[in-house]
Amino acid sequence: QLILILSGNLSFLNWLTIVPSIFCLDDRFLLRRIPRFFHRIAFGTKAAAFVKNLETSPFSPRSTFVRRTVSMTFFALMAKLNVNVVRNLLSRRQLMNASFDPLRLANSYGAFGVVSEERHELIISSAQDVTGPWREYEFKIKPGNVARTPRFISPYHHRLDWQMWISSQIGGIERSPWMYSFLLKLLKQEEDVVSLLASDPWSGDKIGPKYIQVEKFRYKFAKTDRYWEREKTGRYFPRQGIVTADMLASLIND
């Protein structure tokens, strides 16, 4: 997990894996391996008695033997069951989210087996007039402006940017109905929603947008001084015509 965190940007899944696993470790084991500075902090809290008891009271020989036997048995079992998992990891044709034993005790999990050099993105823009000009909404993390380089966000997770990318992968807007409310709130320039973006293209204007649209683009690494190259692949919403706040409200209420 630490290797993935050091080599990747989207590491919140790895942190979520590490944190619960810490609670599987023995308290005495942890106390012997954390700096004394943290011990002094604990002694100044209500947990002082508990911490001191862990450091001073030895386990009985019988309980120590049982604990070690259980731990060694579990380690040997998991080592045997994970042989095929490791083989799969080293294979050129990895199986993602697969089980390798009848009881499904050893599995391979992966959100993304392949990282491609192209990505499809949804670009939202709005206008005061049907003929334009259309102003694009820039998100904090996801690609938009082709000249902007990717941001380092680990270990944080920008859920809105993430959901926008997921929506571009799973089909039309009917499979992401939350976007209807999102687009309506952008048209209304609701502060709580606009603050989730990198900037508001209508900030400082006396008039706000009346029309909004979502287009789909294919992004790939550029060979010029820009970071991205993009190509429009179609309209995401609406498929034809225009959409207003009243039309969005009607879709939400249906």
Side-chain angles (χ1 to χ4, degrees), residues 188-240:
K188 293 182 176 180
Q189 295 182 280
E190 294 192 12
E191 185 176 350
D192 290 343
V193 175
V194 175
S195 63
L196 299 174
L197 306 179
S199 60
D200 178 9
W202 298 92
S203 178
D205 286 25
K206 295 182 179 180
I207 56 175
K210 288 185 178 180
Y211 310 100
I212 198 165
Q213 66 179 4
V214 186
E215 298 174 306
K216 197 169 185 178
F217 287 81
R218 180 190 295 113
Y219 279 73
K220 63 180 180 180
F221 296 121
K223 298 180 180 179
T224 61
D225 55 345
R226 298 179 301 177
Y227 195 89
W228 298 104
E229 291 179 357
R230 76 178 189 180
E231 175 188 3
K232 183 178 176 181
T233 58
R235 299 189 66 175
Y236 181 80
F237 178 77
R239 295 296 177 87
Q240 293 180 347

Side-chain angles (χ1 to χ4, degrees), residues 120-127 130 134 167-168 171-174 179 183 211-218 231-244 247:
H120 294 274
E121 293 290 343
L122 300 180
I123 302 299
I124 302 175
S125 58
S126 59
V130 178
W134 291 84
S167 296
S168 71
I173 194 172
E174 62 277 359
M179 285 192 66
L183 297 175
Y211 310 100
I212 198 165
Q213 66 179 4
V214 186
E215 298 174 306
K216 197 169 185 178
F217 287 81
R218 180 190 295 113
E231 175 188 3
K232 183 178 176 181
T233 58
R235 299 189 66 175
Y236 181 80
F237 178 77
R239 295 296 177 87
Q240 293 180 347
I242 58 174
V243 64
T244 63
M247 296 170 63

Side-chain angles (χ1 to χ4, degrees), residues 67-195:
R67 290 167 63 90
R68 288 181 178 176
T69 302
V70 172
S71 298
M72 297 280 292
T73 302
F74 179 76
F75 175 81
L77 174 64
M78 295 309 297
K80 183 178 184 304
L81 292 177
N82 278 279
V83 170
N84 289 330
V85 176
V86 175
R87 287 176 178 172
N88 177 68
L89 179 65
L90 300 176
S91 172
R92 292 185 177 181
R93 296 184 177 181
Q94 294 184 21
L95 297 177
M96 304 301 297
N97 304 314
S99 298
F100 296 91
D101 67 273
L103 298 179
R104 298 179 180 270
L105 296 177
N107 313 284
S108 64
Y109 168 78
F112 307 100
V114 178
V115 179
S116 62
E117 296 182 0
E118 294 185 355
R119 56 185 295 144
H120 294 274
E121 293 290 343
L122 300 180
I123 302 299
I124 302 175
S125 58
S126 59
Q128 175 66 27
D129 189 271
V130 178
T131 58
W134 291 84
R135 305 183 188 182
E136 294 186 4
Y137 291 87
E138 191 74 21
F139 286 72
K140 292 183 178 180
I141 299 301
K142 87 176 200 69
N145 185 348
V146 294
R148 192 179 70 162
T149 58
R151 300 296 188 261
F152 187 81
I153 62 173
S154 179
Y156 302 104
H157 179 42
H158 293 258
R159 294 187 63 183
L160 177 59
D161 298 57
W162 173 266
Q163 284 300 122
M164 287 292 296
W165 179 76
I166 293 294
S167 296
S168 71
Q169 306 298 308
I170 62 176
I173 194 172
E174 62 277 359
R175 300 197 62 183
S176 302
W178 62 270
M179 285 192 66
Y180 294 126
S181 297
F182 178 56
L183 297 175
L184 178 59
K185 293 177 185 294
L186 288 180
L187 278 179
K188 293 182 176 180
Q189 295 182 280
E190 294 192 12
E191 185 176 350
D192 290 343
V193 175
V194 175
S195 63

Side-chain angles (χ1 to χ4, degrees), residues 28-44 48 51-56:
R28 186 189 297 266
F29 174 86
L30 287 175
L31 285 172
R32 289 175 179 174
R33 285 158 179 79
I34 62 176
R36 284 287 174 178
F37 171 76
F38 294 102
H39 289 211
R40 291 195 296 270
I41 294 178
F43 291 155
V51 175
K52 287 182 179 180
N53 182 61
L54 285 175
E55 288 192 323
T56 57

